[in-house]
Amino acid sequence: MSPLDRNPPNLRGQDGEGSVQVHQDAEAKIEGAKVFSVYGKGGIGKSTTSSNLSAAFSMLGKRVLQIGCDPKHDSTFTLTGMLQPTVIDILKEVDFHPEELRPEDFVSEGFNGVKCVEAGGPPAGTGCGGYVVGQTVKLLKQHHLLEETDVVIFDVLGDVVCGGFAAPLQHADRALIVTANDFDSIYAMNRIIAAVQAKSK
């Protein structure tokens, strides 16, 4: 879809022709916390925006968890001052036996007590980003970390809005799109809006 489309398609409840709408498992729902998903074109400033939101909410006295959803795992760098290991890499180290992990193995504390998690992503050309996000949320729930959180912020990879990286939308109360006035940013924004329409109830 481009900004020049006079009659944009109605994608509510659809993922596109020939695809299947995948619904979230009810047990995976994040209860209690306000959940934001931040999207936008690569390099537009999603991580900066996400980190500033996390910092601002924490200064208001909220318990904040920021989840980076990008193989670069640099979403929380400005909050912690260093790159964090990814959940998916840590799970690989224990042969995907999450019971062997402790919260401190995959959660770091950043600015003003913000909890920072880097979900990571599958290797290029393999796997699905949705699986990685799902495993991260499942791990956080298993360790009861979401019960102690007021605000969750997903910082999501570029403008990739396939079913996998659109997965945070299924958890989100609000989707934020970081954009500018250049064509690429507006094009990415339109694709993200289509994904929001598809995932909204």
Side-chain angles (χ1 to χ4, degrees):
M1 186 167 78
S2 88
L4 300 177
D5 286 341
R6 289 190 175 88
N7 297 308
N10 178 10
L11 297 177
R12 184 173 295 276
Q14 303 173 40
D15 276 338
E17 185 178 351
S19 66
V20 177
Q21 177 74 30
V22 178
H23 296 284
Q24 175 181 274
D25 183 342
E27 293 183 5
K29 184 171 175 57
I30 297 175
E31 301 280 1
K34 195 73 167 176
V35 183
F36 299 87
S37 288
V38 181
Y39 285 87
K41 184 189 78 153
I44 198 71
K46 295 178 301 299
S47 295
T48 300
T49 300
S50 298
S51 296
N52 279 312
L53 281 171
S54 292
F57 278 123
S58 74
M59 296 296 284
L60 291 172
K62 303 296 184 184
R63 299 168 299 176
V64 184
L65 170 66
Q66 181 168 321
I67 304 172
C69 304
D70 189 325
K72 295 199 310 291
H73 62 99
D74 59 354
S75 170
T76 60
F77 182 83
T78 55
L79 294 168
T80 63
M82 63 186 70
L83 291 175
Q84 306 300 317
T86 70
V87 167
I88 206 69
D89 287 338
I90 292 167
L91 282 170
K92 281 180 191 172
E93 289 177 7
V94 294
D95 200 25
F96 291 88
H97 290 284
E99 66 277 3
E100 296 182 18
L101 297 176
R102 299 165 300 168
E104 54 266 32
D105 293 328
F106 57 93
V107 180
S108 300
E109 187 170 307
F111 172 80
N112 203 38
V114 174
K115 292 176 184 171
C116 301
V117 176
E118 292 286 353
T126 65
C128 174
Y131 171 78
V132 175
V133 172
Q135 288 297 306
T136 299
V137 171
K138 182 178 176 183
L139 191 59
L140 291 166
K141 287 178 79 74
Q142 285 175 342
H143 289 274
H144 307 286
L145 294 171
L146 294 172
E147 297 169 12
E148 304 166 4
T149 304
D150 301 311
V151 177
V152 177
I153 296 176
F154 285 97
D155 176 14
V156 190
L157 169 70
D159 60 346
V160 179
V161 288
C162 68
F165 281 104
L169 288 173
Q170 297 194 17
H171 297 287
D173 298 297
R174 295 284 184 271
L176 284 72
I177 303 172
V178 183
T179 191
N181 64 351
D182 63 284
F183 180 83
D184 286 347
S185 296
I186 294 170
Y187 182 78
M189 177 187 68
N190 281 333
R191 293 182 67 221
I192 295 160
I193 289 171
V196 171
Q197 287 182 325
K199 296 295 182 186
S200 63
K201 296 180 181 178

